[in-house]
Amino acid sequence: MTEARSDALARAERRVAEVTGAIDAPAIVAEWNTDGRIRSVNDRFCVATQYSREELIGRHFEEFAMVAGTGDAGQNLAEAIRSGVTWHGEVQLTVRDGSIFWAGATVVAVRDFDGEVEYCIGLWSDITELKRAEAAAHRLACFDPVTGLPNRQGLIDDVLPHLAAESATRDASEALVVIGLDNFREINDALGYEQGDELLRQVSQRLTTAHPDIAAVARTGEHEFCLVLNELSAEPALAEAEAEVLMRMIRRVLTRADNVSELGATSEFSAGIALCGAEVEAPHLALERAEIAMHRAKDHGMNQTRVFLPEIHSEMVARLELLADLRQAVRRDELQLFFQPIVDDTAFVSGYECLVRWFHPTRGLVMPDQFIPIADQTGLIHVIGDWVMRRACEQIAVWGTDPALAHLSLSVNVSARQFKDPNFANRVFSIVRQTGADPHRLRIELTESMFHVDLEESVQRIDGLRRAGIRFALDDFGTGYSSLAYLSRLPVQQLKIDRSFVGRIGEEPGDAAIVLMILGLARTLGLQTVAEGIETEAQFDFLREHGCSSFQGYYFGRPAPLQAT
Ligand code: C2E
Ligand code: MG
Ligand code: MG
């Protein structure tokens, strides 16, 4: 370098030093060609870092500055300095006393006359307060204010990564258990929100201290908690057994007497388990898997525990795909009603039961057992049910115009969700009115399981529809939780004996006995009986001899489109 040139540079440097000294912010000037070593700093920088100028000059900036953020932010700064690209970012400076000083930094390269990077100027502004506020906001966003537990986000962002780092050193694998309180919604409605919240606090307290293997508890949903278990066997079957034992213990812990008497009700819960093996890439996946398993457990009734297995996942995907297709089915006109004859004791057709079929362009024929339960769980049943009811009423209206057919009655299956809709009766009335169907020819089939909650309301709903002439049958009788007490109060006219008993008449003496018992019961209560699933003459004869009033089954005719019956 010539003398004149080095003079010029020295002058330029002095000017820069003056400028940086004048800026009311900590600033460092790091010389690039000595590999990022600091060559001058201003007073503010010394104050902020608590180091003297002498201590700082000559040190590498990376010794006390850490580039914050994830990914390759650090690399970017080094690269930026090397190539002379201006760099913005956040840097954590470690202050002499060990505390952290957050800086928003801009690093600009100063080039020599040949265009080579000579050194860099870093301008740093104190954003420690901002960072503190950010952290506080994050903490708020990560906690459930009711229980003080981490919420879903807290579990995913903080708890799980933290525990994962810990367990990596212990060479252990965790498991997540998601607990869904089965009755909480009802309890909450009955108690009111304040007491409901108190109950949640009690539950969370008890869960946190329930067992030493519970490393953390989070509230991941309105009535869902997630337990992080320290160690569970990696073998799913063993893990399920271990978890089952733990769940039993937790149920005991929750039912332990206390001043909050309703706590006992929370011991009814469904639990789903996901093992956090090496193949679980992200914490939120483990949580989702535990939740899928929990919903699986719920599908199987209350108080169940299920472990997530990959098969469950593909089952769920298949189910979602089916549901997506089903949403289109009505609009695309893919549903069709089949009709199965119901005969009297002379085998004369007195009516039909309509059974829905779904003809899917690629799936082919889908039977109701495959889609009605899903439709019922998702509420899609209202659309399908209305369609079925409308088609059925249209058929009744058509029969009504022909004296030879006007006597035929038509049975329509109605699912639990449909019937529980407070608007159900109005929906039926308006369809009957619009189609001009004779309501006396319409029979609604309900199943026993729908009366467990709100028997009184069900009775009123049935009564309202009966006053309009509509009749009712209790379907699949004998398979539900039959209780004579409610049966005598239900204003239905017909019991349909489930085909599982009918099919084994003559094979299983016990089943014949059940059929006889149902027939006797119906006589006592003054109800008609329809036997379902009759496939042989012997079954028909047996039932007829013992006083059954109507008959249905392949022996008389399979479900089929009406033209072919
Ligand atoms: P369900 O109401 O008990 O209907 C009787 C079922 O027994 C029908 O099955 C029918 O095809 C079958 N079946 C009748 N006779 C015989 C027989 O002799 N042998 C045998 N093995 N089976 C016989 P499907 O059509 O598959 O319907 C299954 C269930 O799906 C129905 O049971 C009903 O609960 C439901 N379902 C059908 N259509 C509808 C609908 O439109 N709405 C609602 N909510 N549910 C429906
Ligand atoms: Mg039926
Ligand atoms: Mg049935």
Side-chain angles (χ1 to χ4, degrees):
M1 209 183 287
T2 64
E3 215 170 291
R5 231 177 128 180
S6 84
D7 269 1
L9 263 181
R11 269 203 309 281
E13 255 174 49
R14 262 202 308 281
R15 258 206 318 278
V16 169
E18 277 164 22
V19 171
T20 52
I23 293 171
D24 187 27
I28 59 168
V29 180
E31 210 172 69
W32 171 240
N33 54 8
T34 52
D35 221 4
R37 281 184 199 285
I38 297 171
R39 70 188 231 172
S40 76
V41 292
N42 62 350
D43 293 343
R44 282 292 306 269
F45 190 86
C46 297
V47 174
T49 58
Q50 300 168 7
Y51 289 108
S52 70
R53 183 167 277 106
E54 291 67 39
E55 283 171 311
L56 286 166
I57 305 289
R59 277 175 71 179
H60 198 284
F61 78 95
E62 281 179 351
E63 279 177 48
F64 54 91
M66 232 177 68
V67 177
T70 51
D72 56 2
Q75 179 121 39
N76 283 345
L77 175 58
E79 260 170 35
I81 291 175
R82 205 173 305 128
S83 58
V85 173
T86 302
W87 186 90
H88 301 282
E90 289 178 352
V91 175
Q92 255 182 323
L93 299 174
T94 311
V95 175
R96 166 179 244 133
D97 67 8
S99 62
I100 297 293
F101 166 79
W102 273 95
T106 301
V107 179
V108 189
V110 176
R111 292 166 190 276
D112 66 17
F113 297 114
D114 300 324
E116 296 293 318
V117 177
E118 183 81 18
Y119 55 91
C120 296
I121 304 172
L123 286 178
W124 317 74
S125 58
D126 187 348
I127 55 164
T128 311
E129 273 314 306
L130 196 76
K131 279 283 162 190
R132 271 202 202 113
E134 236 178 64
H138 181 71
R139 267 198 306 281
L140 270 183
C142 285
F143 274 90
D144 165 42
V146 174
T147 59
L149 291 177
N151 60 15
R152 190 184 183 82
Q153 191 174 353
L155 181 72
I156 292 171
D157 288 359
D158 295 338
V159 180
L160 291 177
H162 187 74
L163 287 172
E166 245 179 37
S167 69
T169 59
R170 282 191 293 116
D171 194 26
S173 70
E174 278 124 14
L176 296 192
V177 182
V178 168
I179 285 181
L181 304 180
D182 290 329
N183 301 319
F184 186 73
R185 195 160 284 149
E186 286 80 5
I187 303 172
N188 205 30
D189 288 349
L191 290 179
Y193 289 113
E194 236 161 74
Q195 283 203 57
D197 283 356
E198 178 52 31
L199 196 59
L200 285 173
R201 275 191 284 276
Q202 297 263 349
V203 170
S204 70
Q205 248 163 37
R206 290 194 174 195
L207 287 177
T208 358
T209 53
H211 196 271
D213 270 353
I214 299 175
V217 180
R219 185 178 172 205
T220 49
E222 199 193 335
H223 35 82
E224 283 167 24
F225 290 89
C226 181
L227 313 180
V228 186
L229 301 186
N230 264 333
E231 254 165 275
L232 216 57
S233 173
E235 167 63 38
L238 275 179
E240 189 161 12
E242 288 168 10
E244 191 59 63
V245 172
L246 195 70
M247 292 310 117
R248 268 206 294 279
M249 200 219 71
I250 289 177
R251 281 197 180 97
R252 275 202 304 279
V253 169
L254 288 176
T255 34
R256 210 175 50 209
D258 194 276
N259 47 355
V260 182
S261 56
E262 285 78 11
L263 209 56
T266 62
S267 63
E268 304 257 305
F269 60 76
S270 309
I273 303 156
L275 303 172
C276 305
E279 77 288 354
V280 182
E281 312 78 30
H284 75 271
L285 284 182
L287 178 60
E288 276 166 24
R289 289 178 179 192
E291 285 172 335
I292 288 173
M294 192 273 287
H295 287 298
R296 262 305 273 224
K298 232 175 207 166
D299 285 348
H300 285 81
M302 296 212 266
N303 274 337
Q304 302 274 327
T305 304
R306 287 283 181 282
V307 174
F308 175 89
L309 299 170
E311 299 91 272
I312 297 185
H313 188 240
S314 41
E315 222 175 86
M316 295 286 291
V317 171
R319 192 184 136 102
L320 285 178
E321 283 169 357
L322 187 81
L323 187 63
D325 283 358
L326 191 56
R327 287 190 199 286
Q328 319 276 343
V330 172
R331 209 161 19 88
R332 293 189 180 158
D333 211 14
E334 291 168 1
L335 297 183
Q336 196 184 336
L337 279 194
F338 274 28
F339 296 78
Q340 186 178 33
I342 299 173
V343 304
D344 65 15
D345 56 359
T346 64
F348 181 77
V349 176
S350 60
Y352 291 88
E353 174 175 5
C354 58
L355 297 157
V356 69
R357 298 288 181 265
W358 177 18
F359 289 91
H360 185 269
T362 54
R363 293 174 194 272
L365 169 62
V366 190
M367 297 300 278
D369 286 340
Q370 289 172 266
F371 66 90
I372 293 289
I374 297 181
D376 202 40
Q377 284 160 18
T378 55
L380 203 56
I381 193 70
H382 296 305
V383 183
I384 296 173
D386 281 356
W387 181 88
V388 170
M389 187 60 77
R390 185 170 297 276
R391 277 289 301 110
C393 287
E394 281 167 2
Q395 192 56 56
I396 293 173
V398 169
W399 284 337
T401 60
D402 183 344
L405 301 174
H407 68 282
L408 292 172
S409 64
L410 191 53
S411 298
V412 175
N413 293 287
V414 164
S415 77
R417 178 96 168 240
Q418 257 177 294
F419 182 69
K420 279 185 196 148
D421 176 15
N423 231 349
F424 175 70
N426 288 335
R427 290 170 104 121
V428 175
F429 287 142
S430 83
I431 292 173
V432 166
R433 211 176 316 113
Q434 284 164 15
T435 53
D438 176 359
H440 295 87
R441 300 286 145 215
L442 175 63
R443 183 179 287 118
I444 290 175
E445 294 192 2
L446 304 172
T447 53
E448 299 169 71
S449 56
M450 40 180 102
F451 305 116
H452 291 286
V453 206
D454 291 333
L455 176 63
E456 206 40 56
E457 215 178 296
S458 303
V459 170
Q460 279 176 19
R461 196 157 296 161
I462 294 175
D463 273 338
L465 286 153
R466 270 188 62 165
R467 277 195 290 277
I470 297 166
R471 284 173 293 175
F472 282 85
L474 202 51
D475 205 355
D476 305 338
F477 189 74
T479 60
Y481 318 80
S482 313
S483 137
L484 293 183
Y486 86 77
L487 185 59
S488 61
R489 294 192 46 210
L490 271 187
V492 298
Q493 290 97 334
Q494 240 183 23
L495 294 186
K496 295 192 78 170
I497 305 170
D498 192 71
R499 67 168 191 266
S500 59
F501 306 120
V502 174
R504 284 178 305 193
I505 289 176
E507 287 173 24
E508 294 276 337
D511 286 319
I514 291 176
V515 170
L516 292 178
M517 191 207 74
I518 297 175
L519 289 171
L521 181 71
R523 240 192 324 273
T524 311
L525 294 171
L527 300 174
Q528 299 161 359
T529 40
V530 185
E532 292 185 289
I534 297 171
E535 295 184 356
T536 66
E537 190 174 1
Q539 289 163 352
F540 180 39
D541 290 342
F542 176 90
L543 287 155
R544 194 162 41 172
E545 263 167 42
H546 290 94
C548 185
S549 32
S550 298
F551 312 85
Q552 183 182 356
Y554 293 171
Y555 181 64
F556 309 102
R558 288 179 179 255
L562 208 51
Q563 302 84 309
T565 56

